[in-house]
Amino acid sequence: MTSNVPRNELGEFLKRRRAELSPRTVGLPETRAPRRVAGLRREEVAQLAAISTDYYTRLEQGRMQASAPVLDALARVLHLDDDQRAYLFQLAGKTAGRTRRRGRQKVQPQLQRVLDDLTSTPAIVQGRRGDILAWNALAAALVTDFSRIPEKHRNYPRIQFTDPAMRTLYADWEASAQISVAQLRMEAAKYPEDPRLIELVGELSMRDKQFAQWWGEHRVAARTVGTKTLNHPVVGELVLDWDTLTANTDPDQHLTVWTAVPGSPTHERLRILASWAADQNLSASPSTS
């Protein structure tokens, strides 16, 4: 009997807190449709925390206990301060250890030097979650001007799902986007408590039904090699092979390069694209060396 009291108080605390937050506060798009409840809906909190709505509902109703990783995710979604987070864990009967926060990644110097030398080959360096850590000018011309994207949103899967231009750039956008989701799934298995990954998955699940569907299919993929066809607005069709090189000094950093068969139409169009990029003053990411 007494064991149910803390869980009921936990549920009341969660309900009060989500009622205080608006969709805009947590990065969700506002809609004109009337909302039956103040603040966030249960399903919105659940999706942002990357858990099922049924799980979250049972938690609010005091019918189950939450694990520490779930409590961490809820603390982030509900924007709890340190005292509120400690109180949340206390109500759940868990020890509130320090939140493990990884510092923002910076491109490894070795990869940066390789990137600086690649002037005729598009290339980017990706970190955890597909964050874009560095790029060369030709990659900016090929995909998008990454420098115009705020650093916190400079993430390849996020760009694929939120930039409408990506859906026309990729000849088979769905296949490419599904690979990105599968790669994120692999990341989630490796770092299940990564707060930025949880936040990214929650945001994209709310913004895009296809992402939510594919995430639910639990397919996984590693960053390896492949071929993509792009419909570039300046130079037309490009058939590119892509390959991934992993840094031994940081296995969470990957250099992805796009190449074309010498003498092929794509090879010539890359040269034209490089010239166009120079005329447009598109630049590489700032060198850290």
Side-chain angles (χ1 to χ4, degrees):
M1 184 71 177
T2 55
S3 63
N4 287 330
V5 175
R7 278 184 279 166
N8 289 338
E9 290 182 0
L10 173 65
E12 289 301 316
F13 176 66
L14 291 173
K15 282 189 285 187
R16 285 196 305 270
R17 184 56 186 160
R18 68 179 171 89
E20 296 170 353
L21 299 174
S22 68
R24 180 179 297 177
T25 304
V26 296
L28 297 178
E30 295 276 9
T31 63
R32 294 184 178 180
R35 301 176 71 87
R36 293 186 299 172
V37 297
L40 299 177
R41 301 185 180 100
R42 282 174 174 170
E43 58 266 26
E44 291 171 335
V45 174
Q47 285 194 304
L48 288 170
I51 58 178
S52 72
T53 301
D54 180 66
Y55 184 109
Y56 180 76
T57 300
R58 288 171 176 268
L59 186 60
E60 269 200 5
Q61 294 174 344
R63 294 190 288 137
M64 71 180 306
Q65 294 183 345
S67 64
V70 168
L71 293 172
D72 264 330
L74 291 174
R76 288 186 293 271
V77 169
L78 298 174
H79 293 204
L80 302 186
D81 60 28
D82 290 342
D83 290 341
Q84 290 171 323
R85 179 178 177 274
Y87 180 63
L88 176 72
F89 273 76
Q90 184 179 15
L91 290 177
K94 304 290 184 181
T95 301
R98 291 184 177 180
T99 303
R100 295 188 302 170
R101 295 184 181 274
R102 291 184 172 86
R104 188 175 295 276
Q105 281 182 297
K106 293 185 178 180
V107 60
Q108 291 289 302
Q110 299 92 322
L111 290 185
Q112 182 69 62
R113 288 194 290 269
V114 173
L115 196 62
D116 291 342
D117 288 339
L118 292 174
T119 57
S120 60
T121 301
I124 61 174
V125 177
Q126 291 177 269
R128 292 187 293 271
R129 304 167 296 272
D131 289 347
I132 298 166
L133 306 180
W135 63 92
N136 61 12
L138 197 48
L142 179 68
V143 183
T144 189
D145 188 351
F146 299 110
S147 66
R148 294 181 177 271
I149 301 172
E151 186 177 359
K152 67 178 181 179
H153 292 156
R154 207 176 285 157
N155 172 277
Y156 209 92
R158 190 182 192 280
I159 294 169
Q160 277 190 297
F161 280 92
T162 61
D163 185 349
M166 295 297 101
R167 296 176 187 257
T168 55
L169 176 64
Y170 282 91
D172 191 347
W173 176 85
E174 286 199 6
S176 177
Q178 283 180 300
I179 289 174
S180 286
V181 175
Q183 290 171 344
L184 273 183
R185 263 291 176 194
M186 189 76 85
E187 290 269 318
K190 190 175 181 182
Y191 299 115
E193 299 178 37
D194 182 347
R196 294 188 61 201
L197 177 57
I198 292 171
E199 181 181 355
L200 176 66
V201 171
E203 178 196 359
L204 294 181
S205 295
M206 294 299 297
R207 294 182 63 156
D208 193 286
K209 292 181 179 179
Q210 286 178 298
F211 180 93
Q213 175 190 337
W214 295 333
W215 183 259
E217 292 174 356
H218 290 263
R219 296 180 184 178
V220 295
R223 292 186 176 93
T224 52
V225 298
T227 300
K228 293 190 185 302
T229 300
L230 304 181
N231 296 318
H232 197 275
V234 175
V235 297
E237 184 180 84
L238 299 169
V239 181
L240 296 165
D241 297 318
W242 61 274
D243 203 343
T244 304
L245 308 175
T246 301
N248 286 331
T249 49
D250 183 354
D252 286 332
Q253 292 195 25
H254 313 276
L255 174 69
T256 299
V257 295
W258 291 274
T259 60
V261 176
S264 67
T266 294
H267 191 259
E268 177 60 27
R269 288 166 188 163
L270 280 181
R271 293 178 57 189
I272 297 172
L273 186 61
S275 177
W276 177 84
D279 291 340
Q280 298 296 310
N281 292 320
L282 290 175
S283 60
S285 55
S287 176
T288 58
S289 58

